[in-house]
């Protein structure tokens, strides 16, 4: 990190501090190297300054009556858990942090006495319980099947020690700082300690530090572990441990959230580095105490000492993040949009504050600016609930880029801690190929096909070239230079002249796929498909419509409409059908300037006006079809079929019966659809025929209503004198040609 910060030419205030840190680090390393050859345990100046306490050892018997013990040896299930516990007490006034230590499988707790003694000497009350089933000594062979209960044993010991220090008359009354609790363990006991720190079901949130030695991950049945919010962890193991191989420790470290540290003891075995291997114990104990000091005492030198004690050539190597209250964070992604705008996203926080901190962003060693990391990141808030969620950032750099670039982000320290932290660098490859869209492809009825869209290259404000392909064949090379204000607004700085509406050659009848490509300029790797390809159907068949169907005198059908074929410049054939039977073959020989104006280029001969023979009485369906010319696949229906009703039966009205005294006149009108000439009307009174005559007098109103038939359709027939009383008169139209006589109407009247 320090090297990177120098190389990156950070602002002056960073460089000054870097130099100070580098100098301090050098002094510490020198002191550490000096200690390797000797047998002195501690290796750094801060340790020399700290008091080493005499240690008092004692023993307490703890009993958890709330839980049971499975059978072992000669005893059956016990209704309690018995936990004989060794205590190592700093023999000095005052209260000290508590560390509960869990022994490994099938080993006496006093096998760890040299290490536990060191911890107590450094100012920690150490409680080492003996587990009832896995521990030694015990009744019968030790077993591992009770391990899932051991984290509970550890939590119980913590509770009893906290109770005891607050109670009068115990061996630890007033001796424990009950608010500062660590757990530690070796081998299976280390797995127990990891479960206390990292396991979702077994986590004990009273714990402020976990020291996990030579252990496998806590994959207990029915539970899951890490990464969850946990106490800081220190994971240690020998690199030559054949019982709990190094990979287990690596996995625990990798799955833990910061703050966390891992120290590997070079060439160390399973147990020896912590109790008997003189080459390693000094450094191992020093690292452990550094970690406990940093986490349980808040000693600001703890992490610095751990960095030294954990990095002794040939003895220790260290990984660590977050132990010092410097910023931590993650550069989650560095991405470029199609315009070459680079965005760096992630989160960072300083353990000293819930407030957002500032990040510095560097691009290829150049300072790009300071930005707040203040965006909501609920996932970060969930992992660090004390510090809240407002630690995210998504910074878009002010320059448009091309090519490969390296982006690095620093979190600026606030409060405690000694350095700003570069928590991420990523290389981003910025590709500025053209972008755009083939918005749509239109085909008008006369087969003019046009590709509409826009295209631009982020490297230029100038219009770029667009190649358009139909069914894989290039058919147009054009320039996207039409004004598109929407594109100009969406891509500020690149101008609006990026639209296109490209006329394509006339395409054959049928479906086609149209694709347009923007041609790259400047940097970039390829010409780019603009949006997606578009499917079009080009229809060479005729089209048109029926405008009007008129039923003529005698029931003839006159049909007018228009039709044209996009392949024809003049008239085309049309066929007319009545009730599915072809009754007309015609051409569009009628001039229709309106149609010619709507579909220019093919003249005006698009109309037809056809009269077809009269069908029988009743409803009939009339359909016309345009007959295809040249390309095309069918003779399509023109518009929709029409439905008409034809009648051959006379119709009319008996309007009035008038008169008095000796004579009465019955009047009305009548038409036979088969003729314009007057028809005969017969009048009956009270069922007896009384008059007959032609409906031939002028009735302008009837003429206006039925213009095909003229106005000469009125009648007024004298039925003579009638006797006093009620009478009924009825008039009948007498049929001409097809049809039959038909009642026109009846009327009741009274003769006084
Ligand atoms: Ca800080
Ligand atoms: Ca380009
Ligand atoms: Ca055609
Ligand atoms: Ca008739």
């Amino acid at each position: 990190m320090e090297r990177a910060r120098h190389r990156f030419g950070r602002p002056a205030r960073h460089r000054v501090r870097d130099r100070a840190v580098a100098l301090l680090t050098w002094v510490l390393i020198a002191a550490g190297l000096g200690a390797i050859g000797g047998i002195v345990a501690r290796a750094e100046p801060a340790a020399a300054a700290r008091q080493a306490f005499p240690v008092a050892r004692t023993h307490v018997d703890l009993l958890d009556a709330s839980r049971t013990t499975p059978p072992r040896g000669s005893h059956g299930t016990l209704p309690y858990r018995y936990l004989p516990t060794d205590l190592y007490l700093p023999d000095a006034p005052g209260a000290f942090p508590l560390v509960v230590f869990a022994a490994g499988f099938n080993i006496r707790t006093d096998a760890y006495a040299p290490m536990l003694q060191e911890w107590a000497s450094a100012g920690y009350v150490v409680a080492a319980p003996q587990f009832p089933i896995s521990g030694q000594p015990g009744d019968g062979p030790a077993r591992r099947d009770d391990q899932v209960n051991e984290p509970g044993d550890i939590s119980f010991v913590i509770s009893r020690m906290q109770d005891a220090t607050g109670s009068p008359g115990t061996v630890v009354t007033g001796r424990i700082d009950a608010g500062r609790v660590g757990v530690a363990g070796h081998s299976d006991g280390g797995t127990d300690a990891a479960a206390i720190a990292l396991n979702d079901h077994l986590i004990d949130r009273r714990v402020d530090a976990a020291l996990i030695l030579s252990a496998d991950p806590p994959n207990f049945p029915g539970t899951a572990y890490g990464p969850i919010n946990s106490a800081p962890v220190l994971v240690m193991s020998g690199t030559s441990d054949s019982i709990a191989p190094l990979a287990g420790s690596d996995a625990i470290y990798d799955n833990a959230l910061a703050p966390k540290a891992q120290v590997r003891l070079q060439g160390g075995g399973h147990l020896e580095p912590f109790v008997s291997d003189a080459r390693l114990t000094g450094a191992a104990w020093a690292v452990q105490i550094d970690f406990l000091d940093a986490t349980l005492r808040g000693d600001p030198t703890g992490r610095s000492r751990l960095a030294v004690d954990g990095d002794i050539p040939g003895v220790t190597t260290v990984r660590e993040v977050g132990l010092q209250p410097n910023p931590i964070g993650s550069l989650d992604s560095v991405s470029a949009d199609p315009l070459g705008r680079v965005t760096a996203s992630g989160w960072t926080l300083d353990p000293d504050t819930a407030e957002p901190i500032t990040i510095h962003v560097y691009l290829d060693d150049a300072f790009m600016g300071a930005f707040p990391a203040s965006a909501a990141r609920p996932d970060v808030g969930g992992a660090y609930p004390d510090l809240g969620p407002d630690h995210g950032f998504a910074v878009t750099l002010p320059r448009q880029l091309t090519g490969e670039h390296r982006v690095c982000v620093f979190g600026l320290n606030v409060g405690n801690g000694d350095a700003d932290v570069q928590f991420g660098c990523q290389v981003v490859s910025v590709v500025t190929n053209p972008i755009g869209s083939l918005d749509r492809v239109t085909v008008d009825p006369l087969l003019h096909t046009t590709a509409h869209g826009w295209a631009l290259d982020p490297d230029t404000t100038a219009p770029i070239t667009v190649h358009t392909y139909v069914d894989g064949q290039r058919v147009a090379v054009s320039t996207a230079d039409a004004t598109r204000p929407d594109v100009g607004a969406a891509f500020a700085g690149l101008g609006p002249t990026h639209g296109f509406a490209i006329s394509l050659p006339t395409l054959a009848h049928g479906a086609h796929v149209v694709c347009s490509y923007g041609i790259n300029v400047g940097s970039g790797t390829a010409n780019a498909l603009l949006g997606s390809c578009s499917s079009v159907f080009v229809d060479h068949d005729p089209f048109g419509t029926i405008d009007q169907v008129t039923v003529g005198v005698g029931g003839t059908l006159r049909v007018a409409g228009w039709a044209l074929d996009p392949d024809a410049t003049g008239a085309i054939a049309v066929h007319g059908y009545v009730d599915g039977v072809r009754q007309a073959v015609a051409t569009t020989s009628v001039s229709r300037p309106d149609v010619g104006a709507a579909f220019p280029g093919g003249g005006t001969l698009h109309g037809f006006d056809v009269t077809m023979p009269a069908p029988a009485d009743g409803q009939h369906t009339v359909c016309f079809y345009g007959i295809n010319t040249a390309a095309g696949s069918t003779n399509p229906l023109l518009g929709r079929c029409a439905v008409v009703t034809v009648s051959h039966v006379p119709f009319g009205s008996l309007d009035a019966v008038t008169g008095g005294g000796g004579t009465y006149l019955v009047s009305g009108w009548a038409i036979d659809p088969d003729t314009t000439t007057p028809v005969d009307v017969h009048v009956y009174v009270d069922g007896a025929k009384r008059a007959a005559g032609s409906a031939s007098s002028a009735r302008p109103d009837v003429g206006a209503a039925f213009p095909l038939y003229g106005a000469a359709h009125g009648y007024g027939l004298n039925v003579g004198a009638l006797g006093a009383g009620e009478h009924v008169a009825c008039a009948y139209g007498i049929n001409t040609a097809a049809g039959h006589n038909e009642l026109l109407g009846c009327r009741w009247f009274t003769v006084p």
Side-chain angles (χ1 to χ4, degrees):
M1 182 183 80
E2 307 301 341
R3 270 200 311 278
R5 289 168 61 175
H6 281 292
R7 184 166 63 77
F8 279 17
R10 309 214 51 210
R13 75 180 191 86
H14 299 306
R15 283 204 299 274
V16 169
R17 191 185 294 167
D18 290 350
R19 233 174 261 128
V21 170
L23 185 62
L24 175 63
T25 305
W26 171 247
V27 169
L28 295 176
I29 290 170
L33 286 170
I36 294 172
I39 52 171
V40 177
R42 306 307 304 279
E44 71 328 287
R50 193 182 49 231
Q51 192 174 357
F53 300 102
V55 174
R57 280 185 64 170
T58 184
H59 182 90
V60 292
D61 288 324
L62 305 179
L63 198 72
D64 181 358
S66 70
R67 299 183 304 144
T68 62
T69 305
R72 179 175 177 182
S74 63
H75 74 71
T77 299
L78 302 175
Y80 53 80
R81 291 177 75 84
Y82 172 56
L83 298 163
T85 300
D86 291 337
L87 292 180
Y88 298 75
L89 301 169
D91 193 5
F96 298 93
L98 171 68
V99 177
V100 178
F101 175 80
F105 172 70
N106 199 24
I107 185 171
R108 298 174 61 96
T109 57
D110 57 13
Y112 299 95
M115 177 176 72
L116 307 185
Q117 186 95 20
E118 280 293 317
W119 299 356
S121 177
Y124 296 91
V125 172
V126 180
Q130 174 194 321
F131 294 124
I133 300 299
S134 71
Q136 283 291 4
D139 181 2
R143 299 195 317 276
R144 305 182 77 183
D145 54 270
D146 188 47
Q147 191 180 4
V148 72
N149 293 313
E150 292 171 1
D153 293 336
I154 295 171
S155 289
F156 174 75
V157 173
I158 293 170
S159 298
R160 291 305 299 269
M161 289 293 110
Q162 288 179 331
D163 291 346
T165 195
S167 305
T170 74
V171 294
V172 293
T173 300
R175 307 296 309 283
I176 295 174
D177 182 349
R180 298 168 186 248
V181 178
V183 294
H186 175 257
S187 195
D188 278 7
T191 302
D192 296 341
I196 290 267
L198 302 170
N199 188 290
D200 61 347
H201 281 58
L202 302 170
I203 190 168
D204 186 332
R205 293 195 181 273
R206 296 173 300 180
V207 170
D208 306 306
L211 218 167
I212 302 160
L213 312 177
S214 307
D216 291 319
N219 291 313
F220 289 3
T223 68
Y225 86 98
I228 57 176
N229 179 42
S230 72
V233 296
L234 169 62
V235 186
M236 298 180 72
S237 61
T239 59
S240 300
D241 185 343
S242 59
I243 297 171
L246 183 62
S249 287
D250 288 348
I252 294 172
Y253 177 82
D254 289 339
N255 274 299
L257 290 175
K260 61 181 179 179
Q262 181 185 25
V263 172
R264 297 172 178 170
L265 298 151
Q266 297 299 313
H270 187 59
L271 174 63
E272 299 82 355
F274 305 108
V275 295
S276 60
D277 182 347
R279 188 176 66 84
L280 298 174
T281 50
W285 298 339
V287 162
Q288 293 164 346
I289 291 165
D290 297 338
F291 174 74
L292 293 174
D293 288 351
T295 52
L296 296 187
R297 292 189 190 282
D299 179 346
T301 71
R303 180 263 189 176
S304 304
R305 286 186 281 119
L306 187 145
V308 174
D309 294 327
D311 189 24
I312 300 172
V315 179
T316 52
T317 57
V318 64
R319 294 196 281 170
E320 180 261 309
V321 56
L323 277 186
Q324 188 75 349
N326 291 330
I328 57 175
S330 167
L331 179 58
D332 295 338
S333 70
V334 178
S335 60
D337 73 8
L339 296 179
R341 294 177 299 206
V342 169
T343 299
S345 301
W347 61 271
T348 183
L349 57 80
D350 187 297
D352 294 316
T353 178
E355 294 296 316
I357 66 170
T358 299
I359 60 171
H360 281 182
V361 179
Y362 286 77
L363 174 71
D364 302 328
D365 299 359
F367 181 62
M368 286 287 106
F371 307 90
S374 56
R377 277 288 295 258
D379 57 330
V380 175
Y384 300 96
D386 295 343
L387 301 178
D390 299 329
H391 303 297
F393 63 85
V395 173
T396 298
L397 299 185
R399 296 219 312 258
Q400 188 184 321
L401 302 171
T402 59
E404 280 213 339
H405 298 275
R406 179 178 168 87
V407 175
C408 295
V409 183
F410 286 78
L412 300 195
N413 183 55
V414 298
N416 297 321
D418 62 357
D420 305 328
V421 174
Q422 174 191 294
F423 54 81
C425 284
Q426 285 189 28
V427 173
V428 62
S429 189
V430 183
V431 177
T432 48
N433 290 334
I435 57 173
S437 167
L438 176 60
D439 293 337
R440 65 192 185 284
V441 177
T442 57
V443 186
D444 77 10
L446 297 180
L447 311 182
H448 302 118
T449 303
T450 309
H452 306 262
W454 60 271
L456 60 80
D457 189 297
D459 297 317
T460 178
T461 60
I464 67 167
T465 300
V466 173
H467 289 180
T468 300
Y469 287 70
V470 175
D471 304 330
Q473 298 290 320
R474 193 171 78 189
V475 298
V477 174
S478 33
T479 303
D481 57 1
T483 300
R484 278 286 294 258
D486 57 330
V487 175
F491 303 102
L494 295 177
T497 52
H498 303 297
F500 61 79
I502 301 166
S503 290
L504 305 181
T506 300
L507 303 178
H509 182 83
H512 300 279
V513 176
V514 180
C515 307
S516 291
Y517 295 83
I519 304 305
N520 183 56
V521 297
S523 75
T525 57
N527 302 329
L529 178 66
L530 301 175
S532 53
C533 296
S534 186
S535 294
V536 293
F537 189 88
V538 178
D539 189 351
H540 286 250
D541 291 335
F543 58 95
T545 190
I546 294 174
D547 290 332
Q548 194 173 24
V549 179
T550 312
V551 180
V553 175
T556 56
L557 299 177
R558 180 177 173 186
V559 182
W562 61 269
L564 63 82
D565 187 298
D567 301 311
T569 54
I572 67 167
V574 295
H575 290 179
Y577 285 71
V578 177
D579 301 331
V581 176
R582 192 169 77 187
Q583 299 287 4
V585 173
T587 59
T588 55
S589 55
V590 178
S591 179
R592 281 287 296 260
D594 58 329
V595 177
F599 304 103
T604 65
L605 286 182
H606 304 302
F608 61 87
D609 188 344
V610 179
T611 298
M612 295 186 291
D617 277 0
Q619 212 171 56
H620 302 278
T621 301
V622 179
C623 305
F624 268 67
Y625 297 83
I627 305 306
N628 182 52
T629 298
S633 62
T634 190
N635 302 320
L637 180 67
L638 300 175
R640 294 201 279 182
C641 295
V643 174
V644 296
T645 300
V646 171
S647 173
H648 297 276
V649 176
F651 62 98
S653 170
L654 191 168
D655 291 338
V657 179
T658 55
T663 184
Y664 285 84
L665 191 67
V666 175
S667 58
W669 60 273
I671 294 174
D672 187 296
D674 294 320
T675 179
T676 59
T677 58
V679 300
D680 285 345
V681 174
H682 294 177
V683 177
Y684 287 70
V685 176
D686 302 333
K689 183 175 174 184
R690 297 290 292 260
S694 178
S696 57
S697 59
R699 277 291 293 263
D701 59 330
V702 174
F706 303 98
L708 284 176
Y709 294 91
H713 296 292
Y715 65 86
L717 298 176
N718 194 332
V719 294
L722 297 169
E726 290 276 315
H727 300 280
V728 59
C730 295
Y732 292 84
I734 304 306
N735 182 56
T736 302
H740 52 79
N741 299 338
E742 182 70 3
L743 178 65
L744 302 175
C746 294
R747 195 163 284 264
W748 288 91
F749 61 99
T750 303
V751 175

